[in-house]
Amino acid sequence: MPIITAVELAIVQRLRVGLGKMVKSVETYGGELDDDTEDVVRAFPAAWVTFGGVRDSKPYSTAREKWRKEALFAVMVGARSVRNEQSARHGGAGRREVGTNQLIYAVQRLLTQQDMGLPIRELEPAKVRTLRHVIVRSESFSCFAIEFHTAWIDEALPRDRFPAPDGPDHPDAIFAEHGGQLSVPDPDWLRTGLNYHLAPDDGKPDATDLIGPDKE
């Protein structure tokens, strides 16, 4: 599974458990806020998670075999109120009247400094942006996007090499599944030979040694 997908799904799962009944649902974003406004309002309060892109990529090793990817994820939250736009943000007197301000706090509280057990830098809170404040048939609804920064390390292929997936669970298995060019996997390491030279060095090893796994 690509790391982007893994992070999205991990955020969704943590928010589902952590937000509880504050929202009706937590899903990956599929354009819901672009749909008919009345249908969206009926789904509130809700949260959606999406990948916002890679902001920067820099070499992590001098050989440029590893690259550090700086990435952005966003959680979009929406709430509604039959009172007014302020209630959609602040929430109402009832326990079920959750506002977007409360959801912003809850999402940041649940995600800040979390890595969900994945090989990423802990999520860092970033911008909170207004998406919409609209009144539809006397109902007000409010939407915000809550951004988080993170990073991970990607390994580059050796020069002139193609992917060599090691089994169906390897991230590069997608190339095999779709008929992409593959390279033969590197052979297993068996042993390393060491030569020792004493001074003065005559160019011939004075002793040798083999390091490797124990023979059965």
Side-chain angles (χ1 to χ4, degrees):
M1 180 186 297
I3 188 65
I4 295 170
T5 304
V7 174
E8 272 195 13
L9 295 179
I11 292 175
V12 167
Q13 181 59 27
R14 183 168 175 84
L15 291 180
R16 281 177 179 170
V17 174
L19 292 177
K21 296 181 179 179
M22 277 187 270
V23 293
K24 292 181 179 179
S25 65
V26 182
E27 305 291 342
T28 57
Y29 185 63
E32 286 81 358
L33 296 180
D34 298 325
D35 293 340
D36 182 78
T37 302
E38 291 189 37
D39 291 338
V40 174
V41 170
R42 282 194 290 269
F44 288 169
W48 296 271
V49 180
T50 188
F51 172 58
V54 172
R55 301 182 301 139
D56 195 14
S57 183
K58 294 181 179 179
Y60 188 70
S61 64
T62 55
R64 293 177 178 263
E65 296 175 347
K66 296 182 179 182
W67 292 77
R68 184 183 186 88
K69 303 292 182 66
E70 295 283 341
L72 171 70
F73 287 84
V75 180
M76 290 168 283
V77 296
R80 65 173 177 169
S81 173
V82 296
R83 305 169 193 272
N84 50 47
E85 189 269 335
Q86 177 177 298
S87 295
R89 288 183 293 108
H90 294 181
R95 186 176 61 182
R96 295 184 179 181
E97 295 182 89
V98 178
T100 46
N101 288 0
Q102 294 162 306
L103 291 176
I104 291 169
Y105 167 80
V107 167
Q108 289 186 323
R109 182 69 168 158
L110 289 170
L111 296 182
T112 298
Q113 284 298 106
Q114 302 298 318
D115 63 12
M116 289 78 68
L118 297 173
I120 62 172
R121 189 181 68 211
E122 293 86 350
L123 294 172
E124 301 172 357
K127 295 179 180 179
V128 177
R129 298 183 290 107
T130 302
L131 295 180
R132 282 183 177 182
H133 291 307
V134 180
I135 298 177
V136 179
R137 294 186 179 181
S138 300
E139 282 193 285
S140 299
F141 77 90
S142 171
C143 297
F144 285 86
I146 309 156
E147 297 180 355
F148 293 89
H149 294 166
T150 186
W152 58 79
I153 305 300
D154 277 349
E155 291 191 10
L157 289 170
R159 185 171 298 175
D160 299 325
R161 294 272 292 179
F162 288 94
D166 182 15
D169 296 328
H170 191 280
D172 283 344
I174 186 173
F175 295 99
E177 293 170 3
H178 295 276
Q181 177 67 49
L182 303 177
S183 290
V184 177
D186 293 329
D188 294 335
W189 173 75
L190 297 178
R191 60 184 59 86
T192 299
L194 299 176
N195 293 327
Y196 302 93
H197 297 262
L198 301 177
D201 187 359
D202 60 2
K204 298 179 180 180
D206 296 285
T208 61
D209 195 7
L210 289 177
I211 300 176
D214 295 335
K215 295 182 179 180
E216 296 183 359

